[in-house]
Amino acid sequence: MNFPVALQPILAPSLLAGDHADLAGSSSAVEALGLSWLHVDIMDGHFVPNLSFGPETLAALRRRGSRLFLDTHLMLSEPQKYLEAFARAGADRISIHVEPPYDHAAALARIRALGCCAGIAVNPDTPADAAAPFLAAVDLVLVMTVQPGFGGQAFRRGMLPKISTFDALRRSGGFSYRIEVDGGIDLASAAECRAAGADTFVAGTSFFKARDKAAFATAFANL
Ligand code: DX5
Ligand code: ZN
């Protein structure tokens, strides 16, 4: 029998859209709202055509007292080389992409062995099938709803069927992974993703530009 999976919605503001000269301030603003997650995008200028943060960014946030759940999204061609560094720096979840060629199963097992939650991420052009072999080894599937590399892009509605596929696979396989959407998420696109089966919402631009962040967060909690 298939049981519905109804995970509570989680809003994960993306530090990429915060103030890069005051990352601790941006992180504190998230924590002050009573939110518990912060999405941290790591880019290598190779897997994606941009650069962002490194392990030291997470370590510095921890030194400043952040207790947020650091949802770390590695957009790296060789993520397997950096798992220890991010775990040591304070990552709570490490999500790695399915597209580059490396031993994904070994990397996911290593993430868990390091005491972190594991996520698998899929780009817009990557079918759900590519992540299917790893669903038993993850706590979260990250569905990119823009081409990764930059904040502020438009939500790709064409990703909704892929979200539904991961939701169907979750039900049929008896899995309990979260389904996270990342890119162009605001309240309207989040509602569409929620209806398709998503439960975890990365919001960069829409969160940091929101005038009333508390109302924004409440709206997501009620999705
Ligand atoms: C894009 C990153 C996203 C980004 C989302 O490559 O993975 O996490 O911060 O930014 P917005 O919400 O502005 O689309
Ligand atoms: Zn991201």
Side-chain angles (χ1 to χ4, degrees), residues 39 41 73 75 182:
H39 186 80
D41 287 308
H73 176 194
M75 285 164 271
D182 183 7

Side-chain angles (χ1 to χ4, degrees), residues 141-145 155 163 179-183 185 189-190 193-194 198-203:
V141 173
L142 196 174
V143 178
M144 287 306 305
T145 44
F155 172 70
I163 297 166
I179 300 175
E180 179 175 64
V181 286
D182 183 7
I185 298 299
S189 54
C193 293
R194 179 72 167 153
D199 42 67
T200 308
F201 305 93
V202 176

Side-chain angles (χ1 to χ4, degrees), residues 2 72 83 130-132 168:
N2 289 340
T72 310
L83 304 176

